[in-house]
Amino acid sequence: MNYDQVFEAAIERLHTEGRYRVFIDILRNKGSYPNARCFAGHNGPKPITVWCSNDYLAMGQHPKVISAMEEALHDVGAGSGGTRNIGGNTHYHVDLESELADLHGKDSALLFTSGYVSNDATLSTLAKILPGCIIFSDELNHASMIAGIRNSGAEKRVFRHNDVAHLEELLAEADPAVPKLVAFESVYSMDGDVAPIHAICDLAEKYHALTYIDEVHAVGMYGARGGGISERDEASHRIDIIEGTLGKAFGVMGGYIASDARVIDVIRSYAPGFIFTTSLSPVLAAGVLASVRHLKNSSIERDSQQAAAATLKRLFAQAGLPVLPSTTHIVPLMVGDPIRAKKVSDILLAEYGVYVQPINYPTVPRGTERLRFTPGPAHTDEMMIELTQALIEIWARLDLQMRKAA
């Protein structure tokens, strides 16, 4: 076996299909986001504007967050010292879990090192604990949810995206005595659409199923205190387990689940992805703690972000650019071809100082490749007008299709 040849062929396939991933070398400018520096060439850093960050509210730049992290660093040092069971449990972790439980109106919460790990560890553990469990999964669920379901070894039944009628068909076919879990997201990050939470909860109650919602693209962003779509829609009390991230709207790093005390204790006690990994640095926990507390009491960031997203969607639509309609903060601009999507991204960076990454398969289905813009509170109207004009020029140059949004 020529191992090098196999590896080389695998990478070459990605190049041929136009979906080889290139990581852009950048540094954000503290306190002036979305301004950053790009190290793409050999002439030193080039100023750029970031348009694709998941730090939706720029909380990673907020003075309260930075100050809290600096204070913790000088108080306790850099690392956590181990797993939560062996030296890695600090008062920062305890306080943060209490704040997150309160955010969602739940008894308890549990921290993980990332949103991916929280989904994988929780879903795989839950289904193993519940004998014969069947998991009902939305077809557009995130890869981390799919991994957790697969790793659980449980039977999986996939329902069409946001299709409650199809979900009910599948639930009705299952043995009434078998444990069931319905897993779905609140905001789907590539199309920007929202789950019908109450309708799903209605079915879960009718068929005696547990509910698991991934709110990673909604926590901090929606609801009076940033509790997500489930808070905004007054549905938090109907959902058994709420999962979220600390690396998007809260601006730092980590993941978590919130639920009743018994469920949290089970995951804490049985999930290998929690038990056997070093805990979040207390410096990170301190930063997130400051962010969560701030966003519970401030809507300025949320309101400004929503206004920016609405403006960018309007400008794209008026220009005839193929923006996908959405009711959330996600602004997808459809290209439909991986090579052209990468070309648009490259031109924007090289000629206009605009940084937005192409989104290709397997993140989205083939033929739906796109650029995904996430304007934040600090993206000005002038920036958005300049971006729109740049895209109009590039669309014409590459002979891409212009059309009004549906």
Side-chain angles (χ1 to χ4, degrees):
M1 170 65 70
N2 187 329
Y3 295 105
D4 287 342
Q5 189 176 55
V6 173
F7 298 145
E8 184 65 29
I11 295 299
E12 185 57 34
R13 284 197 299 273
L14 297 178
H15 282 292
T16 301
E17 294 174 17
R19 58 188 186 92
Y20 179 77
R21 296 171 188 262
V22 177
F23 300 154
I24 306 301
D25 184 359
I26 69 171
L27 288 173
R28 298 197 290 179
N29 299 328
K30 175 175 171 281
S32 62
Y33 181 78
N35 296 316
R37 294 156 282 164
C38 175
F39 294 81
H42 302 287
N43 298 318
K46 169 186 175 181
I48 61 170
T49 303
V50 177
W51 284 95
C52 57
S53 174
N54 284 341
D55 186 0
Y56 295 130
L57 304 180
M59 289 303 295
Q61 302 289 312
H62 198 283
K64 288 183 181 179
V65 174
I66 293 171
S67 176
M69 295 180 74
E70 290 175 339
E71 183 179 340
L73 179 64
H74 293 290
D75 181 27
V76 300
S80 71
T83 66
R84 292 287 291 276
N85 186 52
I86 306 176
N89 189 60
T90 75
H91 194 61
Y92 291 107
H93 296 86
V94 174
D95 272 356
L96 178 54
E97 286 174 340
S98 177
E99 287 287 347
L100 292 168
D102 172 77
L103 178 65
H104 296 292
K106 301 298 184 185
D107 295 338
S108 300
L110 191 66
L111 289 174
F112 294 86
T113 50
S114 73
Y116 190 105
V117 174
S118 55
N119 271 333
D120 186 0
T122 303
L123 286 167
S124 61
T125 301
L126 272 177
K128 287 176 182 175
I129 292 293
L130 296 168
C133 180
I134 300 173
I135 299 180
F136 299 82
S137 175
D138 187 289
E139 67 176 340
L140 293 189
N141 276 343
H142 189 263
S144 58
M145 300 175 76
I146 295 170
I149 295 168
R150 182 182 298 116
N151 291 336
S152 74
E155 181 179 349
K156 176 180 70 172
R157 299 185 184 176
V158 178
F159 60 94
R160 291 187 292 270
H161 178 52
N162 281 346
D163 189 335
V164 291
H166 188 217
L167 173 59
E168 180 160 27
E169 288 178 22
L170 297 177
L171 285 166
E173 292 171 356
D175 183 345
V178 170
K180 304 171 188 66
L181 175 68
V182 181
F184 62 104
E185 300 184 37
S186 60
V187 173
Y188 289 84
S189 64
M190 291 301 116
D191 290 351
D193 56 343
V194 175
I197 297 177
H198 280 292
I200 291 174
C201 288
D202 288 343
L203 291 179
E205 291 170 6
K206 179 178 178 180
Y207 293 94
H208 307 289
L210 295 174
T211 47
Y212 181 102
I213 190 170
D214 176 318
E215 286 259 40
V216 297
H217 291 279
V219 290
M221 302 292 295
Y222 300 92
R225 301 195 308 156
I229 297 293
S230 57
E231 182 195 15
R232 185 198 72 178
D233 292 356
E234 299 181 347
S236 300
H237 64 286
R238 305 187 68 189
I239 299 168
D240 295 294
I241 302 161
I242 297 174
E243 185 268 347
T245 184
L246 308 172
K248 293 183 171 61
F250 292 128
V252 189
M253 180 181 176
Y256 68 92
I257 57 169
S259 186
D260 68 46
R262 186 178 293 104
V263 169
I264 295 298
D265 200 19
V266 165
I267 303 304
R268 183 188 71 85
S269 301
Y270 281 92
F274 173 81
I275 296 170
F276 297 107
T277 189
T278 299
S279 66
L280 280 179
S281 162
V283 176
L284 297 174
V288 176
L289 187 59
S291 183
V292 172
R293 286 172 172 168
H294 176 80
L295 290 174
K296 279 183 176 180
N297 296 289
S298 174
S299 293
I300 294 172
E301 293 82 5
R302 285 188 283 276
D303 294 343
S304 298
Q305 195 285 327
Q306 289 290 328
T311 297
L312 191 61
K313 291 174 194 176
R314 175 177 54 80
L315 289 172
F316 282 179
Q318 289 175 348
L321 292 165
V323 60
L324 188 69
S326 79
T327 59
T328 62
H329 57 284
I330 309 296
V331 185
L333 190 61
M334 307 304 289
V335 181
D337 177 83
I339 295 174
R340 287 186 165 191
K342 180 67 167 59
K343 184 66 174 176
V344 174
S345 173
D346 289 346
I347 294 173
L348 282 170
L349 184 64
E351 299 182 21
Y352 292 95
V354 167
Y355 174 47
V356 59
Q357 282 282 54
I359 307 294
N360 297 326
Y361 177 84
T363 307
V364 295
R366 297 181 193 274
T368 68
E369 291 81 7
R370 66 199 67 184
L371 304 176
R372 176 181 174 272
F373 294 88
T374 54
H379 287 94
T380 66
D381 287 355
E382 182 181 9
M383 288 177 178
M384 288 187 271
I385 291 169
E386 291 176 354
L387 170 63
T388 304
Q389 292 172 341
L391 286 165
I392 291 171
E393 187 278 319
I394 296 168
W395 241 250
R397 188 196 312 185
L398 300 181
D399 196 28
L400 295 171
Q401 184 177 6
M402 300 283 285
R403 60 176 173 80
K404 292 293 181 183

